[in-house]
Amino acid sequence: DLSDFLAAMVSTQIGINDDLLKLCFRRFDTDASGYITEKNLQAVLGSTFEGEQIETLLAEADLLHDGRISYPEFVTYLRGDPLSLPVGKASKILQLGKDLTRSF
């Protein structure tokens, strides 16, 4: 299962394939602005994901605290460096990204 593999890579600090990261980022960047916003996350996930409010999910990866996630922030968050990433949550997010990319 790809999501389990990606979660394992995150937890062991092995590099995640840049092409896959870019593809997942583009799926969440629904308006192609170059950023993932609360509105983008709501369009993909709804108002909550696995019991977490969208605002909480956004805040976790918003390293610059500007209300949006840039591609570098997205990569840093998913790779878990320097953040301490909860692997279970990363796995669920990556699974969703995987599911969404199958529609292409």
Side-chain angles (χ1 to χ4, degrees):
D1 183 15
L2 180 60
S3 64
D4 293 339
F5 175 70
L6 291 174
M9 289 189 331
V10 168
S11 67
T12 60
Q13 301 300 313
I14 297 171
I16 297 174
N17 180 300
D18 288 334
D19 292 334
L20 181 57
L21 286 171
K22 288 175 187 174
L23 183 61
C24 286
F25 182 84
R26 284 194 304 262
R27 290 300 297 143
F28 286 106
D29 178 16
T30 58
D31 59 2
S33 67
Y35 296 94
I36 299 171
T37 63
E38 184 177 331
K39 183 178 176 181
N40 297 144
L41 288 175
Q42 286 177 339
V44 175
L45 303 174
S47 61
T48 62
F49 178 71
E50 298 291 322
E52 294 278 345
Q53 293 295 315
I54 294 303
E55 299 83 10
T56 303
L57 295 174
L58 181 72
E60 286 179 16
D62 181 12
L63 301 175
L64 299 176
H65 306 290
D66 59 0
R68 59 189 185 175
I69 302 167
S70 66
Y71 181 71
E73 289 172 297
F74 182 77
V75 170
T76 298
Y77 177 75
L78 290 179
R79 287 188 172 153
D81 183 31
L83 298 176
S84 175
L85 177 65
V87 174
K89 198 173 290 184
S91 177
K92 291 174 184 173
I93 291 169
L94 289 171
Q95 177 63 45
L96 179 64
K98 175 183 138 184
D99 293 345
L100 292 171
T101 58
R102 285 184 181 164
S103 64
F104 283 114

